[in-house]
Amino acid sequence: TRACDRHPSRRPGSQSRVSLFFAEMTDRIAGWYARLGRQAGGSGALMGTFDGMQAGYQLWPKLRVNGFFGFPVDSTLEGPDSERKFVGVSADVGTLANAWDFSFYAVDQQYSGVTDRQAVGTEVRYFRPGITVVGIHTVSPATTRFKQ
Protein backbone atom coordinates (compact mmCIF):
# COMPACT_ATOMS: atom_id res chain seq x y z
CA THR A 1 0.00 0.00 0.00
CA ARG A 2 1.24 3.49 -0.73
CA ALA A 3 0.08 6.70 0.89
CA CYS A 4 1.32 10.26 1.08
CA ASP A 5 2.91 11.03 4.45
CA ARG A 6 2.07 14.57 5.57
CA HIS A 7 3.32 14.26 9.15
CA PRO A 8 5.50 17.35 9.89
CA SER A 9 8.19 15.42 11.79
CA ARG A 10 9.11 13.30 8.77
CA ARG A 11 11.15 14.35 5.79
CA PRO A 12 9.18 15.89 2.90
CA GLY A 13 8.12 13.54 0.14
CA SER A 14 8.22 10.33 2.19
CA GLN A 15 5.50 8.06 0.81
CA SER A 16 6.43 4.60 2.09
CA ARG A 17 3.90 2.69 4.12
CA VAL A 18 4.12 -1.03 4.89
CA SER A 19 0.76 -2.46 5.93
CA LEU A 20 1.51 -6.16 5.40
CA PHE A 21 4.73 -7.93 4.48
CA PHE A 22 5.22 -11.51 5.62
CA ALA A 23 6.36 -14.97 4.61
CA GLU A 24 4.18 -17.97 5.38
CA MET A 25 4.98 -21.66 5.27
CA THR A 26 2.24 -24.27 5.51
CA ASP A 27 2.26 -28.06 5.44
CA ARG A 28 -1.37 -29.18 5.26
CA ILE A 29 -0.45 -32.87 5.42
CA ALA A 30 1.67 -32.49 8.58
CA GLY A 31 -0.82 -29.92 9.92
CA TRP A 32 1.38 -26.91 10.72
CA TYR A 33 1.87 -23.34 9.60
CA ALA A 34 4.24 -20.48 10.45
CA ARG A 35 4.07 -16.82 9.47
CA LEU A 36 6.83 -14.25 10.01
CA GLY A 37 6.78 -10.51 9.26
CA ARG A 38 4.37 -7.57 9.37
CA GLN A 39 0.83 -8.85 9.72
CA ALA A 40 -2.60 -7.88 10.96
CA GLY A 41 -4.23 -9.60 13.90
CA GLY A 42 -7.75 -10.77 13.33
CA SER A 43 -8.81 -12.33 16.59
CA GLY A 44 -9.36 -11.36 20.20
CA ALA A 45 -5.81 -12.24 21.16
CA LEU A 46 -4.07 -10.48 18.26
CA MET A 47 -5.31 -6.94 17.84
CA GLY A 48 -3.99 -4.53 15.23
CA THR A 49 -0.84 -4.59 13.14
CA PHE A 50 2.34 -6.20 14.49
CA ASP A 51 5.78 -7.38 13.45
CA GLY A 52 6.36 -10.91 14.65
CA MET A 53 5.65 -14.60 14.26
CA GLN A 54 2.70 -16.86 14.68
CA ALA A 55 2.69 -20.62 14.28
CA GLY A 56 0.17 -23.38 14.75
CA TYR A 57 -0.23 -27.14 14.73
CA GLN A 58 -3.38 -29.17 14.00
CA LEU A 59 -3.30 -31.51 17.00
CA TRP A 60 -6.59 -33.27 16.18
CA PRO A 61 -9.10 -32.76 13.36
CA LYS A 62 -11.06 -30.16 15.36
CA LEU A 63 -8.24 -28.74 17.52
CA ARG A 64 -5.42 -26.42 16.48
CA VAL A 65 -2.91 -25.01 18.99
CA ASN A 66 -1.09 -21.75 18.21
CA GLY A 67 1.67 -19.57 19.61
CA PHE A 68 2.62 -16.02 18.73
CA PHE A 69 5.02 -13.24 19.69
CA GLY A 70 5.97 -9.89 18.32
CA PHE A 71 6.01 -6.11 18.54
CA PRO A 72 2.86 -3.96 18.10
CA VAL A 73 2.99 -1.34 15.34
CA ASP A 74 1.06 1.88 15.97
CA SER A 75 1.56 3.32 12.48
CA THR A 76 2.31 1.56 9.20
CA LEU A 77 4.62 4.49 8.46
CA GLU A 78 7.00 3.42 11.23
CA GLY A 79 8.84 0.35 12.39
CA PRO A 80 7.98 -1.55 15.54
CA ASP A 81 8.83 -0.26 19.02
CA SER A 82 11.16 -2.86 20.58
CA GLU A 83 10.20 -1.55 24.04
CA ARG A 84 6.73 -3.01 23.48
CA LYS A 85 6.38 -6.76 22.98
CA PHE A 86 3.80 -9.49 23.40
CA VAL A 87 3.62 -13.28 23.62
CA GLY A 88 0.62 -15.57 23.68
CA VAL A 89 -1.00 -18.92 23.04
CA SER A 90 -4.37 -19.93 21.67
CA ALA A 91 -6.44 -23.00 20.84
CA ASP A 92 -8.98 -23.13 18.02
CA VAL A 93 -11.84 -25.65 18.33
CA GLY A 94 -14.30 -26.42 15.54
CA THR A 95 -16.19 -26.49 13.39
CA LEU A 96 -18.83 -28.11 15.65
CA ALA A 97 -22.42 -28.88 14.57
CA ASN A 98 -21.55 -27.43 11.14
CA ALA A 99 -21.80 -23.88 12.51
CA TRP A 100 -19.72 -23.17 15.66
CA ASP A 101 -16.04 -22.25 16.01
CA PHE A 102 -14.36 -21.40 19.33
CA SER A 103 -10.98 -19.86 20.18
CA PHE A 104 -9.45 -19.69 23.64
CA TYR A 105 -6.42 -17.50 24.24
CA ALA A 106 -3.98 -15.96 26.71
CA VAL A 107 -1.72 -13.01 25.91
CA ASP A 108 0.85 -10.95 27.82
CA GLN A 109 2.10 -7.58 26.54
CA GLN A 110 5.01 -5.68 28.08
CA TYR A 111 6.14 -2.08 27.71
CA SER A 112 9.72 -1.43 28.88
CA GLY A 113 9.52 -4.55 31.04
CA VAL A 114 6.26 -3.49 32.74
CA THR A 115 2.97 -5.32 32.11
CA ASP A 116 0.89 -3.33 29.61
CA ARG A 117 -1.84 -5.90 28.87
CA GLN A 118 -2.62 -9.36 30.15
CA ALA A 119 -5.72 -11.11 28.94
CA VAL A 120 -7.38 -14.49 28.77
CA GLY A 121 -10.48 -14.93 26.73
CA THR A 122 -12.61 -16.71 24.23
CA GLU A 123 -14.00 -15.91 20.83
CA VAL A 124 -17.17 -17.64 19.60
CA ARG A 125 -18.21 -17.66 15.95
CA TYR A 126 -21.50 -18.93 14.48
CA PHE A 127 -21.79 -19.29 10.71
CA ARG A 128 -24.85 -20.29 8.67
CA PRO A 129 -25.84 -19.14 5.18
CA GLY A 130 -26.96 -15.53 5.61
CA ILE A 131 -26.10 -15.42 9.34
CA THR A 132 -22.79 -14.65 11.03
CA VAL A 133 -22.48 -13.94 14.74
CA VAL A 134 -19.17 -13.29 16.51
CA GLY A 135 -18.70 -12.78 20.24
CA ILE A 136 -15.55 -12.04 22.23
CA HIS A 137 -15.15 -12.21 25.98
CA THR A 138 -11.85 -11.11 27.52
CA VAL A 139 -10.76 -10.95 31.15
CA SER A 140 -7.69 -8.97 32.18
CA PRO A 141 -6.28 -10.66 35.30
CA ALA A 142 -4.31 -7.52 36.27
CA THR A 143 -7.56 -5.56 36.64
CA THR A 144 -9.53 -8.30 38.42
CA ARG A 145 -7.16 -8.90 41.34
CA PHE A 146 -8.29 -7.92 44.80
CA LYS A 147 -6.23 -5.05 46.18
CA GLN A 148 -5.01 -5.32 49.77
Side-chain angles (χ1 to χ4, degrees), residues 56-137:
Y57 180 72
Q58 193 76 39
L59 202 55
W60 294 307
K62 294 192 183 282
L63 176 64
R64 173 181 291 280
V65 292
N66 309 287
F68 46 88
F69 68 90
F71 307 94
V73 175
D74 289 329
S75 169
T76 57
L77 293 168
E78 299 172 3
D81 180 355
S82 63
E83 293 292 313
R84 296 175 58 209
K85 51 191 157 197
F86 66 86
V87 62
V89 294
S90 68
D92 300 325
V93 179
T95 298
L96 305 175
N98 294 320
W100 294 93
D101 289 333
F102 301 88
S103 294
F104 304 92
Y105 58 86
V107 64
D108 179 75
Q109 184 169 309
Q110 303 282 318
Y111 181 70
S112 295
V114 177
T115 298
D116 184 41
R117 174 182 182 239
Q118 286 183 322
V120 293
T122 187
E123 187 171 330
V124 179
R125 294 171 297 279
Y126 178 83
F127 297 101
R128 287 281 191 197
I131 300 172
T132 300
V133 179
V134 178
I136 298 174
H137 178 71

